[in-house]
Amino acid sequence: MAPPDDEEGAAVAAGHPQAKGYLPLPRGAPAGKESLEPQNGPKAGSLPVNGDPRNSLAAASGAVGGPQTPLAPEEETQARLLPAGAGAETPGAETPGAEGAPLPRTALSPRRFVVLLIFSLYSLVNAFQWIQYSIISNVFKGFYGVTLLHIDWLSMVYMLAYVPLIFPATWLLDTRGLRLTALLGSGLNCLGAWIKCGSVQQPLFWVTMLGQCLCSVAQVFILGLPSRIASVWFGPKEVSTACATAVLGNQLGTAVGFLLPPVLVPNTQNDTNLACNISTMFYGTSAVATLLFILTAIAFKEKPQYPPSQAQAALQDSSPEEYSYKNSIRNLFKNIPFVLLLITYGIMTGAFYSVSTLLNQMILTYYEGGEVNAGRIGLTLVVAGMVGSILCGLWLDYTKTYKQTTLIVYILSFIGMVIFTFTLDLGYIIIVFVTGGVLGFFMTGYLPLGFEFAVEITYPESEGTSSGLLNASAQIFGILFTLAQGKLTSDYGPKAGNIFLCVWMFIGIILTALIKSDLRRHNINIGITNVDIKAVPADSPTDQEPKTVMLPKQSESAI
């Protein structure tokens, strides 16, 4: 066994079954650049990988006689990421692969829990600042002397800022790394919170908007990180739970945003007391954000000493010059299952954003003077969703049934939205608490499912890029849904606005059912043990001796 991690304490080495289902590539092919020549397909060198003809499926194995056929998407993924053959030993590897080829050493670092905790906490503060205005929109409307639409924009600016900034943010994550991205997210969140402290005067609405804009930019460097942190730091049996926990921090921040502002800033006619209460909320948020920025700078590392899974080991072994952000984006948009998930995730999460932003207005329409209850209902919605997120993450780690779980949760979210819509005006606030909890359990619980499903069907593309695009879709749908539902709520009542969301969620169910499940990352981690094998004769470019390269057949995991 390799020596313990000097920087992190003793790393817990993970056991690995012997990889099955393939033989190593010919000797002389560099690690991370292995490619295979397909049968019955285009000529050697004509099938590019990652958009680069130099990485064609013939590059490592030499010319192969006979007709050729192109590889299926999963086969291409395997060809790009198979471990090096015999003679290309990986330091620290403990378990031999086929023909004695060692697998890379993997281990679980204790530091992963610290990284996850710090990220979850500063994500919490950012989410709190998103919802702190809208849940007491009537109070801030009176204090600043603006319209409700102005207050709604304090929430919608989070969605608006994300769309144009997502591409530079994901490029930064992919090229400059996890630590720098985390520092930017935590630092901008801290700066925005302090700017708000200077806005506690009635004519200074523009200052509070400026601070909120900085917090919305910080969000761009936060929302795409859960799946990246989970993949880089956590093992195959805990990766979905870790992603759900990272998302949980953001959800908990929304819950605290529903709960605390109505308590800290009650609706009072005394402007002096009101300003004092708003200052208390702003300064308290700034102090917490500052502490978390310092902790991020001290404790957040780029990655552990050893990769936590074979999928991560394969990515880390590949040459960095092979990566192209432009090609990665192109590959994602060519991936039809991912495009369908992009739309369905946007619909579901956009609906959640809209309901959260307009909840105060919906409750006050039927329950006058119910600001505190509106906050408590929002808290119930999000806390129930946190439970749903963790349970869904545990379920995915146990079963790996990504599509089935995603579809079932989508259907139950739709049913919850219908029930919430038609019971909101019954006059019994306890019913709204119950239906809000049911809605939140499934709707908010869906968020980590979308992240993890996207990583599976897009591997080996960057987790940050796929998650960033999902969040961009959510922001676009969130803006459109909030504007449309807000208009319908003002003109026709909350029921009309909620029915509008129900129709869109039903469309999302249909599109989710059309997604093909292709669990690429999972198949790498299990060593491709459940696939048939096809032999392809190949000549080694180094010794010209006939070799046999084993190609996995298309996975049967598609549904």
Side-chain angles (χ1 to χ4, degrees):
M1 180 175 295
D5 185 340
D6 293 334
E7 297 180 1
E8 303 171 2
V12 183
H16 307 293
Q18 179 173 334
K20 301 178 181 178
Y22 59 88
L23 291 177
L25 291 167
R27 291 189 298 272
K33 292 187 178 180
E34 293 87 341
S35 305
L36 302 176
E37 177 70 11
Q39 286 185 324
N40 304 322
K43 295 180 181 179
S46 63
L47 183 58
V49 176
N50 269 350
D52 188 349
R54 293 173 299 175
N55 295 329
S56 68
L57 298 178
S61 57
V64 179
Q68 319 272 329
T69 56
L71 293 178
E74 183 177 329
E75 293 176 349
E76 182 179 328
T77 301
Q78 308 300 342
R80 292 163 58 187
L81 296 172
L82 289 179
E89 294 189 7
T90 305
E94 294 181 341
T95 306
E99 290 189 353
L103 292 177
R105 184 186 193 280
T106 62
L108 299 179
S109 167
R111 185 185 286 264
R112 69 193 189 279
F113 298 112
V114 176
V115 171
L116 183 62
L117 177 62
I118 292 174
F119 170 79
S120 298
L121 288 176
Y122 77 72
S123 178
L124 180 155
V125 175
N126 184 260
F128 171 81
Q129 296 193 82
W130 164 57
I131 207 67
Q132 68 182 162
Y133 295 99
S134 62
I135 196 58
I136 50 174
S137 55
N138 57 319
V139 175
F140 278 105
K141 172 191 172 184
F143 180 77
Y144 285 116
V146 295
T147 66
L148 278 177
L149 182 60
H150 284 82
I151 303 302
D152 288 344
W153 270 109
L154 287 169
S155 293
M156 288 190 291
V157 70
Y158 263 60
M159 309 173 204
L160 184 64
Y162 199 92
V163 179
L165 294 177
I166 180 55
F167 291 107
T170 53
W171 174 85
L172 189 74
L173 174 62
D174 291 343
T175 58
R176 296 295 182 267
L178 192 59
R179 175 176 165 79
L180 177 60
T181 306
L183 287 172
L184 281 173
S186 182
L188 289 172
N189 193 50
C190 175
L191 180 59
W194 280 108
I195 288 178
K196 291 181 187 180
C197 295
S199 70
V200 191
Q201 294 181 30
Q202 290 185 341
L204 297 181
F205 176 80
W206 68 272
V207 177
T208 208
M209 175 62 82
L210 175 62
Q212 190 74 338
C213 286
L214 282 175
C215 293
S216 69
V217 174
Q219 175 212 215
V220 182
F221 299 100
I222 294 174
L223 290 187
L225 292 191
S227 57
R228 170 64 72 89
I229 290 174
S231 295
V232 170
W233 284 90
F234 288 82
K237 294 184 179 180
E238 57 188 14
V239 63
S240 296
T241 304
C243 181
T245 304
V247 173
L248 186 97
N250 202 265
Q251 297 171 355
L252 182 59
T254 305
V256 176
F258 280 126
L259 178 65
L260 282 186
V263 176
L264 295 175
V265 189
N267 192 4
T268 174
Q269 301 302 318
N270 189 318
D271 289 341
T272 302
N273 289 340
L274 186 58
C276 181
N277 293 334
I278 293 175
S279 289
T280 299
M281 180 171 68
F282 285 168
Y283 276 102
T285 305
S286 302
V288 175
T290 302
L291 174 62
L292 291 171
F293 174 64
I294 295 172
L295 291 176
T296 303
I298 294 173
F300 216 100
K301 284 189 65 178
E302 180 67 31
K303 62 182 179 181
Q305 181 176 356
Y306 298 108
S309 66
Q310 291 298 330
Q312 273 300 302
L315 289 177
Q316 292 181 19
D317 284 344
S318 61
S319 300
E321 61 266 18
E322 287 184 5
Y323 177 76
S324 166
Y325 181 74
K326 181 179 178 181
N327 288 338
S328 180
I329 295 292
R330 184 184 296 115
N331 291 339
L332 289 174
F333 280 105
K334 287 181 179 178
N335 187 326
I336 300 302
F338 176 72
V339 172
L340 290 173
L341 181 63
L342 195 66
I343 298 171
T344 57
Y345 185 91
I347 292 173
M348 173 70 81
T349 313
F352 169 71
Y353 289 163
S354 183
V355 170
S356 300
T357 300
L358 300 173
L359 183 63
N360 175 270
Q361 299 175 37
M362 286 190 279
I363 298 302
L364 293 183
T365 299
Y366 299 115
Y367 304 92
E368 186 176 353
E371 293 92 351
V372 174
N373 276 331
R376 291 172 178 170
I377 292 169
L379 175 66
T380 303
L381 187 148
V382 178
V383 168
M386 291 163 55
V387 176
S389 293
I390 292 297
L391 291 179
C392 287
L394 291 169
W395 177 255
L396 286 185
D397 280 332
Y398 180 72
T399 67
K400 303 301 180 182
T401 53
Y402 290 86
K403 178 180 175 179
Q404 298 96 317
T405 305
T406 301
L407 181 59
I408 290 172
V409 170
Y410 217 117
I411 293 172
L412 293 175
S413 297
F414 168 75
I415 294 173
M417 189 68 200
V418 171
I419 295 173
F420 178 79
T421 298
F422 290 97
T423 58
L424 186 60
D425 60 348
L426 294 182
Y428 298 98
I429 194 69
I430 187 63
I431 294 179
V432 184
F433 273 93
V434 174
T435 56
V438 173
L439 177 64
F441 182 88
F442 296 111
M443 182 178 277
T444 316
Y446 171 84
L447 304 183
L449 293 179
F451 281 161
E452 283 296 286
F453 195 17
V455 172
E456 288 291 339
I457 63 179
T458 62
Y459 180 87
E461 305 302 340
S462 168
E463 303 92 344
T465 305
S466 61
S467 298
L469 290 175
L470 289 181
N471 282 317
S473 175
Q475 312 304 327
I476 292 171
F477 277 100
I479 293 172
L480 296 177
F481 285 173
T482 301
L483 292 174
Q485 187 186 10
K487 179 65 174 176
L488 290 170
T489 299
S490 299
D491 294 348
Y492 304 103
K495 182 176 290 187
N498 287 334
I499 290 175
F500 168 79
L501 294 183
C502 289
V503 172
W504 276 98
M505 291 175 69
F506 183 76
I507 295 172
I509 292 174
I510 297 173
L511 295 179
T512 300
L514 298 176
I515 298 175
K516 179 183 178 182
S517 181
D518 182 13
L519 307 184
R520 302 179 181 186
R521 180 181 66 176
H522 175 61
N523 288 334
I524 288 286
N525 282 328
I526 65 175
I528 325 300
T529 58
N530 60 338
V531 294
D532 296 331
I533 306 301
K534 297 184 293 183
V536 179
D539 293 330
S540 167
T542 56
D543 55 19
Q544 300 301 318
E545 294 178 3
K547 305 287 182 186
T548 299
V549 180
M550 309 305 282
L551 281 178
K553 188 180 178 182
Q554 177 73 21
S555 169
E556 301 297 332
S557 62
I559 297 173

